Coordinates of all heavy atoms in Angstrom, one line a residue:
D1324 N -1.0 -10.3 2.7 CA -0.2 -10.6 1.6 C -0.2 -9.4 0.6 O -1.3 -9.0 0.2 CB -0.7 -11.8 0.9 CG 0.2 -12.4 -0.2 OD1 1.2 -11.7 -0.5 OD2 0.0 -13.5 -0.6
Q1325 N 0.9 -8.9 0.3 CA 1.0 -7.8 -0.7 C 0.6 -8.2 -2.1 O 0.2 -7.4 -2.9 CB 2.3 -7.1 -0.7 CG 3.5 -7.9 -1.2 CD 4.8 -7.3 -1.1 OE1 5.3 -7.2 0.0 NE2 5.4 -6.9 -2.2
N1326 N 0.8 -9.5 -2.4 CA 0.6 -10.0 -3.7 C -0.9 -10.5 -3.8 O -1.5 -10.9 -2.8 CB 1.6 -11.2 -4.0 CG 3.0 -10.6 -4.2 OD1 3.2 -9.7 -5.0 ND2 3.9 -11.2 -3.4
P1327 N -1.4 -10.6 -5.0 CA -0.8 -10.3 -6.3 C -1.0 -8.8 -6.7 O -0.3 -8.3 -7.7 CB -1.6 -11.1 -7.3 CG -3.0 -11.2 -6.7 CD -2.7 -11.2 -5.2
E1328 N -1.8 -8.0 -5.9 CA -2.1 -6.7 -6.4 C -0.9 -5.7 -6.3 O -0.8 -4.8 -7.2 CB -3.2 -6.1 -5.6 CG -4.5 -6.9 -5.7 CD -4.7 -8.0 -4.7 OE1 -3.7 -8.3 -4.0 OE2 -5.8 -8.5 -4.5
L1329 N 0.0 -5.9 -5.3 CA 1.1 -4.9 -5.1 C 2.4 -5.7 -5.0 O 3.0 -5.8 -3.9 CB 0.8 -4.1 -3.8 CG -0.5 -3.3 -3.7 CD1 -0.6 -2.7 -2.4 CD2 -0.6 -2.3 -4.9
P1330 N 2.9 -6.1 -6.2 CA 4.2 -6.9 -6.1 C 5.4 -6.1 -5.5 O 6.3 -6.8 -5.0 CB 4.4 -7.3 -7.6 CG 3.6 -6.3 -8.4 CD 2.4 -6.0 -7.5
N1331 N 5.3 -4.8 -5.6 CA 6.3 -4.0 -4.9 C 5.8 -3.1 -3.8 O 6.4 -2.1 -3.5 CB 7.1 -3.2 -6.0 CG 8.1 -4.0 -6.8 OD1 9.0 -4.5 -6.3 ND2 7.7 -4.2 -8.1
G1332 N 4.7 -3.6 -3.2 CA 4.0 -2.7 -2.2 C 4.2 -3.1 -0.8 O 3.3 -3.0 0.0
C1333 N 5.4 -3.6 -0.4 CA 5.6 -4.0 1.0 C 5.4 -2.9 2.0 O 4.9 -3.1 3.1 CB 7.0 -4.7 1.1 SG 8.4 -3.6 0.7
E1334 N 5.8 -1.7 1.6 CA 5.8 -0.6 2.6 C 4.3 -0.2 2.9 O 3.9 -0.1 4.1 CB 6.5 0.7 2.1 CG 8.0 0.4 1.8 CD 8.3 0.0 0.4 OE1 7.3 -0.2 -0.4 OE2 9.4 -0.1 0.0
I1335 N 3.5 0.0 1.8 CA 2.1 0.4 2.1 C 1.3 -0.8 2.6 O 0.3 -0.6 3.3 CB 1.5 1.0 0.8 CG1 0.4 2.0 1.1 CG2 1.1 -0.1 -0.2 CD1 0.8 3.2 1.9
T1336 N 1.7 -2.0 2.2 CA 0.9 -3.1 2.8 C 1.3 -3.3 4.3 O 0.4 -3.6 5.1 CB 1.3 -4.4 2.1 OG1 1.0 -4.3 0.7 CG2 0.5 -5.6 2.6
S1337 N 2.5 -3.0 4.7 CA 2.9 -3.0 6.1 C 2.1 -2.0 6.9 O 1.6 -2.2 8.0 CB 4.4 -2.8 6.3 OG 5.1 -3.9 5.8
A1338 N 1.9 -0.8 6.2 CA 1.1 0.2 6.8 C -0.4 -0.2 7.0 O -1.0 0.0 8.1 CB 1.1 1.5 6.0
A1339 N -0.9 -1.0 6.0 CA -2.2 -1.5 6.1 C -2.3 -2.5 7.3 O -3.3 -2.6 8.0 CB -2.7 -2.1 4.8
I1340 N -1.3 -3.3 7.4 CA -1.3 -4.3 8.5 C -1.4 -3.6 9.9 O -2.2 -4.0 10.7 CB 0.1 -5.1 8.4 CG1 0.1 -6.0 7.2 CG2 0.2 -6.0 9.7 CD1 1.4 -6.7 7.0
V1341 N -0.6 -2.6 10.1 CA -0.7 -1.9 11.4 C -2.0 -1.2 11.5 O -2.6 -1.2 12.6 CB 0.5 -0.9 11.5 CG1 0.4 -0.1 12.8 CG2 1.8 -1.7 11.4
L1342 N -2.5 -0.5 10.5 CA -3.7 0.2 10.6 C -4.9 -0.7 11.0 O -5.7 -0.4 11.8 CB -4.0 1.0 9.3 CG -3.2 2.2 9.1 CD1 -3.4 2.7 7.7 CD2 -3.6 3.4 10.1
N1343 N -4.9 -1.9 10.3 CA -5.9 -2.8 10.6 C -5.8 -3.4 12.0 O -6.8 -3.6 12.7 CB -5.9 -4.0 9.6 CG -6.6 -3.6 8.3 OD1 -7.8 -3.9 8.2 ND2 -5.9 -3.0 7.4
C1344 N -4.6 -3.6 12.5 CA -4.4 -4.0 13.9 C -4.9 -3.0 14.8 O -5.4 -3.3 15.9 CB -2.9 -4.2 14.1 SG -2.4 -4.7 15.8
L1345 N -4.9 -1.7 14.5 CA -5.3 -0.6 15.3 C -6.8 -0.4 15.2 O -7.4 0.5 15.8 CB -4.6 0.7 15.0 CG -3.1 0.7 15.3 CD1 -2.5 2.0 14.8 CD2 -2.8 0.4 16.8
G1346 N -7.5 -1.2 14.3 CA -8.9 -1.1 14.3 C -9.5 -0.4 13.0 O -10.7 -0.2 13.0
F1347 N -8.7 -0.1 12.1 CA -9.2 0.6 10.9 C -9.4 -0.4 9.8 O -8.7 -1.5 9.7 CB -8.1 1.7 10.4 CG -7.9 2.8 11.4 CD1 -6.9 2.7 12.3 CD2 -8.8 3.8 11.5 CE1 -6.7 3.7 13.2 CE2 -8.6 4.9 12.4 CZ -7.5 4.8 13.3
A1348 N -10.2 -0.1 8.8 CA -10.5 -1.0 7.7 C -9.7 -0.4 6.5 O -10.3 0.0 5.5 CB -12.0 -1.1 7.4
A1349 N -8.4 -0.4 6.6 CA -7.6 0.2 5.6 C -7.2 -0.9 4.6 O -6.5 -1.8 4.9 CB -6.4 0.8 6.2
G1350 N -7.5 -0.7 3.3 CA -7.1 -1.6 2.3 C -5.8 -1.2 1.7 O -5.5 0.0 1.5
K1351 N -5.0 -2.2 1.4 CA -3.6 -1.9 0.9 C -3.7 -1.2 -0.5 O -2.9 -0.3 -0.8 CB -2.8 -3.2 0.7 CG -3.5 -4.3 -0.2 CD -2.7 -5.6 -0.3 CE -3.4 -6.5 -1.3 NZ -2.7 -7.8 -1.4
V1352 N -4.6 -1.6 -1.3 CA -4.7 -1.0 -2.7 C -5.3 0.4 -2.5 O -4.8 1.3 -3.2 CB -5.6 -1.9 -3.6 CG1 -5.9 -1.2 -4.9 CG2 -5.0 -3.3 -3.8
E1353 N -6.3 0.6 -1.7 CA -6.8 1.9 -1.4 C -5.6 2.9 -1.0 O -5.5 4.0 -1.5 CB -7.9 1.9 -0.3 CG -8.4 3.2 0.1 CD -9.2 3.2 1.4 OE1 -9.2 2.1 2.0 OE2 -9.8 4.2 1.7
L1354 N -4.8 2.4 0.0 CA -3.7 3.3 0.5 C -2.7 3.5 -0.7 O -2.2 4.7 -0.8 CB -3.0 2.6 1.6 CG -3.8 2.4 2.9 CD1 -3.0 1.6 3.9 CD2 -4.1 3.8 3.5
A1355 N -2.4 2.5 -1.5 CA -1.5 2.7 -2.5 C -2.0 3.6 -3.6 O -1.2 4.5 -4.2 CB -1.1 1.3 -3.1
E1356 N -3.2 3.5 -4.0 CA -3.8 4.2 -5.2 C -4.1 5.6 -4.8 O -3.9 6.6 -5.5 CB -4.9 3.5 -5.7 CG -4.6 2.2 -6.5 CD -5.8 1.5 -7.1 OE1 -7.0 2.0 -6.8 OE2 -5.6 0.6 -7.9
Q1357 N -4.7 5.8 -3.6 CA -5.3 7.1 -3.2 C -4.5 8.0 -2.4 O -4.7 9.2 -2.3 CB -6.7 6.9 -2.5 CG -7.7 6.1 -3.4 CD -9.0 6.0 -2.7 OE1 -9.4 6.8 -1.8 NE2 -9.7 4.9 -3.0
Y1358 N -3.5 7.4 -1.6 CA -2.8 8.2 -0.6 C -1.3 8.2 -0.8 O -0.6 9.1 -0.3 CB -3.1 7.7 0.8 CG -4.6 7.8 1.1 CD1 -5.5 6.7 1.0 CD2 -5.1 9.1 1.5 CE1 -6.8 6.9 1.3 CE2 -6.5 9.2 1.8 CZ -7.3 8.1 1.7 OH -8.7 8.2 2.0
L1359 N -0.7 7.2 -1.4 CA 0.8 7.1 -1.4 C 1.4 8.0 -2.5 O 1.0 7.9 -3.7 CB 1.2 5.6 -1.7 CG 2.7 5.4 -1.8 CD1 3.3 5.5 -0.4 CD2 2.9 3.9 -2.3
P1360 N 2.3 8.9 -2.2 CA 2.9 9.7 -3.2 C 3.8 8.9 -4.1 O 4.5 8.0 -3.6 CB 3.8 10.7 -2.4 CG 3.2 10.7 -1.0 CD 2.7 9.3 -0.8
K1361 N 3.7 9.1 -5.4 CA 4.5 8.2 -6.3 C 5.2 9.1 -7.4 O 4.7 10.2 -7.7 CB 3.5 7.2 -7.0 CG 2.9 6.2 -6.1 CD 1.9 5.3 -6.7 CE 0.6 6.0 -7.1 NZ -0.2 6.2 -5.9
G1362 N 6.2 8.6 -8.0 CA 6.9 9.3 -9.0 C 7.7 8.3 -9.9 O 7.7 7.1 -9.7
L1363 N 8.3 8.9 -11.0 CA 9.1 8.0 -11.9 C 10.3 7.5 -11.1 O 11.1 8.2 -10.4 CB 9.6 8.9 -13.0 CG 8.5 9.5 -13.9 CD1 9.1 10.4 -15.0 CD2 7.7 8.4 -14.6
Y1364 N 10.5 6.1 -11.2 CA 11.4 5.5 -10.3 C 12.9 5.9 -10.4 O 13.6 5.9 -9.5 CB 11.3 4.0 -10.4 CG 11.8 3.4 -11.7 CD1 13.2 3.2 -11.8 CD2 11.0 3.0 -12.7 CE1 13.7 2.6 -13.0 CE2 11.4 2.4 -13.8 CZ 12.8 2.2 -14.0 OH 13.3 1.6 -15.2
W1365 N 13.2 6.4 -11.6 CA 14.6 6.7 -11.9 C 14.9 8.2 -11.5 O 16.1 8.6 -11.6 CB 15.0 6.5 -13.3 CG 14.1 7.3 -14.3 CD1 14.4 8.6 -14.8 CD2 12.9 6.9 -14.9 NE1 13.4 9.0 -15.6 CE2 12.5 7.9 -15.8 CE3 12.2 5.7 -14.9 CZ2 11.3 7.8 -16.5 CZ3 11.0 5.6 -15.7 CH2 10.6 6.7 -16.5

C-alpha cells in the first residue's frame, strides 16, 4: 500500500513491490527519499 506515507507514490511503490518480489528488502519510503529524482512539479 502506497498510503499513508506516499499518497502520490504509486511509481516508486510499484518499484518496491517488484524489488521485494525479487528478494530485496526495499522500502518504498527509502526508495522515494534516498533514490528517486525529484523537482518542482510545475
Side-chain angles (χ1 to χ4, degrees):
D1324 189 349
Q1325 69 186 69
N1326 291 307
E1328 297 89 349
L1329 302 175
N1331 282 294
C1333 58
E1334 300 92 353
I1335 205 64
T1336 303
S1337 292
I1340 290 170
V1341 176
L1342 285 168
N1343 278 269
C1344 178
L1345 296 175
F1347 298 94
K1351 62 182 182 181
V1352 174
E1353 173 193 12
L1354 291 172
E1356 291 183 348
Q1357 299 183 27
Y1358 298 100
L1359 183 67
K1361 296 178 284 291
L1363 298 175
Y1364 71 80
W1365 60 87

